[in-house]
Amino acid sequence: MARPLLPPTRAAFGAFRALPTRWADNDAYGHMNNATYFALFDTAVSLWQMEQGMVIDGPDPTRFLVVENGCTYFAEVGFPEILHAGLRLAHLGNSSFRTEIALFRNDADTAAAMGFFAQVHVDASGRPSPLPDSVRAALSTLAT
């Protein structure tokens, strides 16, 4: 992912999820630990998928494997801020898709960080499988 010159704004994202930070999210420097960003991205994407009716756990889940991810940092964040994760669809293929996730501090209009997850839909054997129509339709709502 090429580094954006400017952080994106809220207007560029179609869905949002509020995520409170925790004291344990801060590192010794007093800002959020790098690994925590990816946990927040994963939480925002997974909750959105579940809200769209995608069963991502249990005996017969819709299986997505993360095949690539990344993050660009624009400003420090940390406890006790409330972050708002904005989601948008950056790519939709036959069996794969890429979701971009921006983290906004409190009521800020520009992102403090932006990451992405590239995911592949797989069958029970772990082989790539075409995205179900219902998943494709849900993902399309994130296109901006």
Side-chain angles (χ1 to χ4, degrees):
M1 176 167 107
R3 181 175 174 82
L5 297 177
L6 297 172
T9 63
R10 286 180 187 255
F13 295 85
F16 289 87
R17 160 70 61 184
L19 300 167
T21 57
R22 304 164 305 160
W23 173 254
D25 294 338
N26 287 3
D27 62 17
Y29 300 111
H31 57 256
M32 196 162 69
N33 189 292
N34 292 333
T36 304
Y37 286 84
F38 290 95
L40 290 170
F41 296 157
D42 188 47
T43 296
V45 169
S46 296
L47 288 171
W48 181 85
Q49 289 172 343
M50 291 171 21
E51 288 169 354
Q52 303 310 305
M54 297 176 212
V55 178
I56 62 173
D57 64 352
D60 191 25
T62 303
R63 296 175 49 131
F64 300 117
L65 299 181
V66 174
V67 296
E68 184 181 9
N69 62 28
C71 183
T72 302
Y73 306 95
F74 299 105
E76 290 184 357
V77 302
F79 180 81
E81 295 174 310
I82 302 294
L83 301 177
H84 298 268
L87 286 83
R88 69 181 177 194
L89 183 67
H91 169 77
L92 183 59
N94 182 50
S95 61
S96 66
F97 60 97
R98 178 178 160 137
T99 308
E100 292 179 340
I101 311 102
L103 298 179
F104 299 89
R105 298 170 61 197
N106 304 308
D107 295 327
D109 189 50
T110 58
M114 188 168 91
F116 72 92
F117 278 170
Q119 295 180 281
V120 175
H121 177 251
V122 297
D123 61 21
S125 70
R127 302 290 307 154
S129 177
L131 291 166
D133 290 340
S134 61
V135 170
R136 185 174 295 283
L139 289 168
S140 294
T141 68
L142 292 178
T144 56

